[in-house]
Amino acid sequence: MIVTASSILLKDRKILLLKRVETTRLFPGCWTFPGGKAEPGESPEKTAIRETREEVNLNFLPTQLFVINTFEDRLMYRYLGDWSGQIQIQYEEVTDFGWFNYQDTNGLTLAFDYREVVDLLFSNGFIE
């Protein structure tokens, strides 16, 4: 099974979402959280930290494991946490980004299990 991890970054009760490049194999042009596959021997927490740094140039500190899901052959860890820095997207993987409230996400095509995760964030009061 492939282990992946992603970061849930919140600001003013909105969530950061990234638009995947059209050339990616899975879910091209869809919206996602910063995240990706674990490297050999890497913990899910370290994966979330590394991928957030690589994709949006932010420092991420996981504070809570929010949910673990499976999708096809993937075991996916989703972390809430603190972050700092200024966003600079990595254009090889990301074409756009934005801060979205729950209603805004209804017009987006979300990748993997992210619709379920966004629904949970809303129902638990993390986003408005």
Side-chain angles (χ1 to χ4, degrees), residues 63-103:
T63 58
Q64 176 186 344
L65 178 58
F66 183 67
V67 67
I68 301 172
N69 283 335
T70 57
F71 180 84
E72 296 177 353
D73 62 343
R74 297 167 189 270
L75 181 59
M76 301 179 298
Y77 293 80
R78 311 297 188 219
Y79 291 95
L80 287 164
D82 298 324
W83 60 274
S84 64
Q86 296 295 317
I87 294 175
Q88 294 177 347
I89 60 174
Q90 177 194 54
Y91 287 101
E92 293 83 14
E93 296 184 40
V94 178
T95 62
D96 199 4
F97 74 94
W99 295 97
F100 298 91
N101 66 29
Y102 183 70
Q103 186 174 0

